[in-house]
Amino acid sequence: QVQLVESGGGAVQAGGSLRLSCEVSGYIYNKNCVAWFRQAPGQEREGVASFYTGTETTYYADSVKGRFTISKDDAHNNTRYLQMNSLTPEDTAKYYCAASPGPCRWNWWDQNEYRIWGQGTQVTVSS
């Protein structure tokens, strides 16, 4: 059974940085798509970034381009990271990682594309 466990959330001031981790346990195919989503209270879940291990292709939401970086642990294929820099209060949300076998599709930002989800980690950015 595949499980995803997020960590690394916390509270930071605007302009600060955090690195989130998503540890994948269980077999999910060597080539898979892992994405980060976030959801603020009262808002819909938003796709933030995705990473396909087959080609190391990445996708980002416009709201985070140039500030966030998604990557994988080169030593261990079972960990994905989301490096978040220049954080603003608008980045405050619960962040989730999600996974799906095979390439990230064109609609990687659509939560319905992913069958496996973690429990989330809270990120709070104060002004």
Side-chain angles (χ1 to χ4, degrees):
Q1 182 179 358
V2 178
Q3 290 187 319
L4 306 179
V5 178
E6 303 95 335
S7 62
V12 295
Q13 291 190 328
S17 299
L18 283 174
R19 189 177 78 162
L20 306 184
S21 298
C22 174
E23 184 172 349
V24 181
S25 62
Y27 182 66
I28 190 177
Y29 302 93
N30 288 331
K31 297 180 180 179
N32 53 72
C33 177
V34 173
W36 285 95
F37 285 77
R38 65 186 181 186
Q39 188 168 22
Q43 297 188 17
E44 294 187 355
R45 193 166 293 189
E46 172 192 20
V48 174
S50 68
F51 183 102
Y52 172 49
T53 54
T55 57
E56 299 199 353
T57 302
T58 57
Y59 299 96
Y60 295 95
D62 288 343
S63 58
V64 306
K65 279 181 182 176
R67 300 188 300 122
F68 290 12
T69 303
I70 188 171
S71 64
K72 70 176 180 69
D73 187 328
D74 288 333
H76 305 93
N77 192 37
N78 62 339
T79 303
R80 306 289 183 270
Y81 301 108
L82 184 68
Q83 178 67 43
M84 306 186 296
N85 299 327
S86 302
L87 286 163
T88 72
E90 289 69 35
D91 296 316
T92 295
K94 193 165 187 179
Y95 284 70
Y96 300 86
C97 66
S100 180
C104 298
R105 294 167 58 85
W106 65 272
N107 55 340
W108 64 269
W109 37 263
D110 184 347
Q111 61 179 316
N112 295 312
E113 289 294 315
Y114 302 88
R115 297 182 289 117
I116 305 163
W117 290 83
Q119 294 301 306
T121 184
Q122 179 67 38
V123 171
T124 303
V125 185
S126 58
S127 57

